[in-house]
Amino acid sequence: MVNMDQVKELRDKTGISVMQCSKALEQAGGDMDKALAFLKEKSADIASKKGDRVLGAGAVGSYVHSTGTIGSMVLLMSETDFVSKNKEFTDLARDIAMHIAASEIEEGDVAGLLAQPYIKNPDQTINDLISAAIQKFGEKVE
């Protein structure tokens, strides 16, 4: 049996619902690393199921390096303005813009960007971040 402290810790790490965190911990026998892996796998499944939904809202994230010599902008789309105005969503857009500014990605190369290891956590790709956002917000994100 999993305790609520474990569920809270997993929820704090992922931002995913209490129900999903609890289920992941139960399936992992209380092992936090296994639960995280389970949630990551599940987020890819959820993302693929939402692929045909229409994107109707979004947020522009921008980043300018402290030197003022490099910067980037990204448009992160969602289905509703409820999600696109969420602070976590706008923070994700800014983090992706920061990643773009720090990487050597060609303008418009979305596939290349999605495959790159995330600069703040190389264990995740940008695609993993997007999949986690889809799982967290319950909407298609692109």
Side-chain angles (χ1 to χ4, degrees), residues 6-22:
Q6 289 175 301
V7 174
K8 182 181 180 332
E9 181 183 348
L10 186 58
R11 177 160 168 62
D12 289 345
K13 284 183 179 180
T14 64
I16 296 171
S17 74
V18 171
M19 182 68 88
Q20 288 184 54
C21 289
S22 178

Side-chain angles (χ1 to χ4, degrees), residues 40 99 115-126 128:
K40 183 177 179 180
H99 175 88
Q116 285 189 337
Y118 179 42
I119 193 163
K120 286 185 172 181
N121 179 1
D123 294 336
Q124 288 185 303
T125 64
I126 298 298
D128 293 338

Side-chain angles (χ1 to χ4, degrees), residues 8 42 46 62 94 96 111:
K8 182 181 180 332
K42 185 167 177 79
I46 289 171
S62 63
R94 183 182 186 285
I96 293 172

Side-chain angles (χ1 to χ4, degrees), residues 63-85:
Y63 176 81
V64 177
H65 192 273
S66 62
T67 63
T69 58
I70 189 166
S72 66
M73 288 177 43
V74 65
L75 174 59
L76 189 63
M77 299 292 296
S78 66
E79 295 174 43
T80 65
D81 63 349
F82 177 77
V83 168
S84 69
K85 292 180 180 180

